Amino acid sequence: MIQPIYNPKVVLASRYRVEQYLDEGGMQQVFITTDLTFNRRVALKVPKNTSAEKRFQRSASTSARVNHANVAKTLDYFEAGNKGHLIEELIDGKHLGDRLDNHFEYLDPHLAAKLFSDLARGLSASHHAKIIHRDLKPSNILISSDADISVVKITDFGIAKLALEEMVGIDVEDQNSITGSQTVLGAIPYMSPEMIESAKLAKLPADIWAIGAILYRVLTGDFPFGTGLKAVANILEAKVPERPQIFTTKKQFSQLANELWEIMLSCLRKNADDRPTADDLVQSCASLCYSDAQRSEGEVIETRFGSQGTIRGHDGKLIFFHSESVFGAFPAVGTRVNFSAFPGYPRPRAFPVLPIK
Amino acid sequence: MVVKLPFKFPDRYSFEGERLEGGQGYVYICSDLFLERKVAVKVVSTPADMTALRQELALLADIRSAHVAEIYDLLEAQSGKHIGLVEQFVGGNHLADLVGKCKIIQFMRTMYQLCCGLSDIHAVQKIHRDIKPNNIRFDEEGILKILDFGISCNVEGEGKTLNGKGTHPYIAPELYDLPANYTNAVDIYAAGVLAYELAFGQLEACLKSIPPQKMGNPKKFSTSPLNIAPEICDLLDGALNPSPAKRPKVEDLKRAFERRLAFGRHRAAVTSGAQSWILSDSYQSLTLKSLDCVLTIAYDGLRFIVTSATGNVDVNNIKVKVGEELPASCVVAMNTENGSRSFITIDMSNPNIIL
């Protein structure tokens, strides 16, 4: 059972009123709070245990040094009750990890390209500021809850360092000590080989490896090297995962899908020096072409000939779709989908169509 | 001269002597000791209606934009005479430094980012009211940030602000009429003047007169040495229109800049059965045939257009029209005389705009 540090209505620093408990990470709890000065909703982060407190401020100022649209904004920091408190902008939505668990199975190449471009830009801004994240994983990527994922922000810079310090001294052979730490377990699938060998070796390319692994997860719904301790051996080997069949069978997607795949492979090179820099990734993303048409969600309400069907949008409008435009198996009636609609007669036509949970 | 603070700031904000002139008074550059970063504290006299100011600030603090400086804190002097607004410090180049040496690519990127910022501001029904080169600065990453919103307070120091209406010559002509007609078109006018300064290196007399454009009209943007694309010129000429209703909306400006910045980098994936092609700058035109049906589509660097069509051809089940731009995603149906139909899907995609 999670025991929230604060109850609703508590006012901190005469400025922030706690509204509700939001989430918990390895080192901290997150609350939705109201900033009474500007009457806006903000996120409050509080370290969970006393050992992390001193380093919490350092990590707060690390985050505060990066100013970029794809990095969560640090708004304030204060101490109350001997604990550091970090105020960050609040995103309407949870994190990518939560969305992958509960909403999307995976993303179609267009949505994945959008997400990855945003990540590359946010990462490049932090690397320019000489800040290594060290703990990039879906739960550290905040995304808005809209169908477009219009807002993508990296968070918890420097918190990573805390996690790392906690990790040092953990016996990798000891299952209990590993599973005892949420942070470590959640981070393993995205950890680079050099980081596993020695946490101190993690430099900028470790972040590149991590967003490569995230891209794999986002494109396939799967972990590139598995999860838990089994992943460790696969990562050390840097064994290249196999390209999913759908990348070649769906002609409308194959060019973009394969370009993303190549970028992903370049991030997952075993030798850290062989990986692209964040700036290289921003450049690669610039040459990607993807549809940024507005997305919405709906449900498949009928299918015909096993190759076409009708989607009812959340606004009640009916939209035609063809199996070629579906990134995934042909969806059965009742399947929920994420899509863009384009003008057509008698009905608008959907592309791409992404089955969701 | 040693610069003194107008009132004592909390210890957290350490002032080291750097003071700038803002649109509505002085701005003091301080170090935020808690987060170890620089902040800009804009000091103004306490307005008569503090409640209204708080509401206004709440609105400003809520703007989500990559191109608007963040607001962090509000300081109130014990004397009750001043308030200080703590904002994100933006430390890169000033936009004013670009005037007179702006290249076309800088012009396009700058105006595009300005339009993005204005679009975010206008999206929450807010008007900036004081768009001018001095209020726009680039951050360390080269991202344009709009600073210093005109807030409804009294002016401290020697700001040239006209009763909070903006700064001459960026003040729209209609604001000289009484009562002043305040719409977000005043920001579009100011952006137009700013674009003019960047495009021509200076402002001409008719734009500097008070009120502007009574004694003649400014040059067309198409005559700028920067060689600006025609569709952008038309919109910017419109931005300077003395009639606010005739100025373009910021969304239209933003889209036009976005498209032009992506010139030659769009792609269209064309799929017909097992065959597929990619139309792009290096493969600009494609002719599709099925018995008596022929369709030619071409990429002109900005759009994919139907350049010729014969026979019974539909695009998304609507009869094709020559010269028309294709929808961003469509199915072409070729209905041949012998009754057979064949389908081609065309999906367009856009490149990232790198800033």
Side-chain angles (χ1 to χ4, degrees), chain B residues 40 82 99 113 128 136 149 191 223 225 244-245 248-249 259 275 295-296 302 343:
Chain B
H82 295 103
V99 175
Q113 296 188 76
H128 183 284
I136 294 164
F149 273 78
T223 64
K249 292 280 166 215
R259 216 175 237 225
Q275 279 184 294
L295 178 78
T296 305
L302 295 172
F343 299 96

Side-chain angles (χ1 to χ4, degrees), chain B residues 273-299:
Chain B
Q275 279 184 294
S276 61
W277 303 266
I278 300 285
L279 268 183
S280 69
D281 200 39
S282 51
Y283 189 76
Q284 292 181 346
S285 147
L286 179 68
T287 299
L288 301 155
K289 286 184 197 151
S290 180
L291 296 174
D292 57 314
C293 293
V294 187
L295 178 78
T296 305
I297 50 178
Y299 176 50

Side-chain angles (χ1 to χ4, degrees), chain B residues 91-103:
Chain B
N93 293 332
H94 289 272
L95 185 108
D97 300 339
L98 266 183
V99 175
K101 50 188 168 202
C102 189
K103 302 223 166 62

Side-chain angles (χ1 to χ4, degrees), chain B residues 124-298:
Chain B
V124 294
Q125 322 307 324
K126 186 74 199 153
I127 306 169
H128 183 284
R129 302 194 241 191
D130 201 11
I131 292 293
K132 59 178 176 183
N134 279 332
N135 277 348
I136 294 164
R137 210 167 164 180
F138 297 91
D139 71 8
E140 302 76 12
E141 291 282 303
I143 301 296
L144 178 147
K145 299 275 181 186
I146 301 172
L147 317 167
D148 215 356
F149 273 78
I151 50 174
S152 333
C153 338
N154 305 320
V155 179
E156 191 211 52
E158 292 187 54
K160 294 180 200 99
T161 309
L162 181 83
N163 298 326
K165 282 179 183 172
T167 308
H168 174 74
Y170 306 93
I171 301 173
E174 70 270 22
L175 295 180
Y176 290 91
D177 298 334
L178 288 172
N181 174 25
Y182 242 117
T183 63
N184 58 23
V186 306
D187 287 346
I188 303 296
Y189 183 84
V193 177
L194 196 148
Y196 194 96
E197 237 177 327
L198 292 177
F200 292 97
Q202 58 182 34
L203 294 177
E204 57 183 300
C206 70
L207 286 170
K208 288 198 278 195
S209 65
I210 297 179
Q213 298 188 58
K214 278 277 190 258
M215 322 289 277
N217 299 319
K219 288 190 284 251
K220 295 282 179 206
F221 276 89
S222 55
T223 64
S224 154
L226 292 190
N227 220 347
I228 303 162
E231 78 279 6
I232 304 281
C233 288
D234 288 348
L235 286 166
L236 290 175
D237 290 337
L240 287 177
N241 197 306
S243 162
K246 289 188 178 144
R247 288 176 212 145
K249 292 280 166 215
V250 72
E251 283 306 310
D252 298 327
L253 276 162
K254 180 180 143 184
R255 232 171 319 192
F257 279 109
E258 192 169 60
R259 216 175 237 225
R260 184 51 71 168
L261 278 167
F263 186 87
R265 298 195 294 129
H266 304 88
R267 281 199 316 223
V270 183
T271 314
S272 170
Q275 279 184 294
S276 61
W277 303 266
I278 300 285
L279 268 183
S280 69
D281 200 39
S282 51
Y283 189 76
Q284 292 181 346
S285 147
L286 179 68
T287 299
L288 301 155
K289 286 184 197 151
S290 180
L291 296 174
D292 57 314
C293 293
V294 187
L295 178 78
T296 305
I297 50 178

Side-chain angles (χ1 to χ4, degrees), chain B residues 11 17 24 34 37 48 53 70 73 119 126 181 199 212 217 233-234 247 279 287 310 318 339 344 350 353:
Chain B
D11 292 342
Q24 289 190 306
F34 284 8
R37 65 178 170 193
L53 177 74
E70 197 66 33
D73 204 354
S119 150
K126 186 74 199 153
N181 174 25
N217 299 319
C233 288
D234 288 348
R247 288 176 212 145
L279 268 183
T287 299
T310 47
I318 301 166
I344 301 121
N350 303 315
I353 308 291

Side-chain angles (χ1 to χ4, degrees), chain A residues 15 38 40 57 73-74 76-77 90 117 121 128 252 255 259 286 289-290 292 342-343 345 349, chain B residues 12 34-35 37 58 61 64 70-73 141 265 267 278 316-317 329 331 347 349-350 352-353:
Chain A
R15 178 170 172 183
F38 296 122
R40 62 178 164 186
Q57 176 174 12
K73 286 181 187 136
T74 304
D76 201 359
Y77 176 88
L90 182 70
S117 301
R121 290 195 235 204
H128 289 169
Q252 279 176 286
Q255 167 122 0
E259 284 170 343
C289 244
Y290 53 92
D292 54 3
F342 293 90
Y345 181 83
R349 174 178 168 270
Chain B
R12 164 180 192 173
F34 284 8
L35 282 168
R37 65 178 170 193
R64 296 294 180 95
E70 197 66 33
I71 303 180
Y72 298 135
D73 204 354
E141 291 282 303
R265 298 195 294 129
R267 281 199 316 223
I278 300 285
N316 284 355
N317 278 351
S329 179
V331 174
D347 301 300
S349 45
N350 303 315
N352 263 336
I353 308 291

Side-chain angles (χ1 to χ4, degrees), chain A residues 55-133:
Chain A
R55 289 159 292 178
F56 196 73
Q57 176 174 12
R58 220 182 309 139
S59 76
S61 47
T62 304
S63 298
R65 269 166 50 207
V66 195
N67 273 309
H68 191 270
N70 299 116
V71 172
K73 286 181 187 136
T74 304
L75 298 175
D76 201 359
Y77 176 88
F78 59 91
E79 275 167 21
N82 268 332
K83 266 186 157 67
H85 292 65
L86 175 66
I87 299 288
E88 203 175 78
E89 66 174 316
L90 182 70
I91 309 305
D92 168 34
K94 264 196 175 176
H95 49 77
L96 179 62
D98 181 73
R99 280 295 272 290
L100 287 169
D101 288 343
N102 300 311
H103 189 109
F104 294 115
E105 205 86 53
Y106 54 87
L107 303 182
D108 63 87
H110 294 272
L111 210 49
K114 186 256 181 266
L115 176 81
F116 188 75
S117 301
D118 284 353
L119 288 180
R121 290 195 235 204
L123 196 59
S124 111
S126 61
H127 284 189
H128 289 169
K130 308 226 169 5
I131 292 169
I132 312 170
H133 190 292

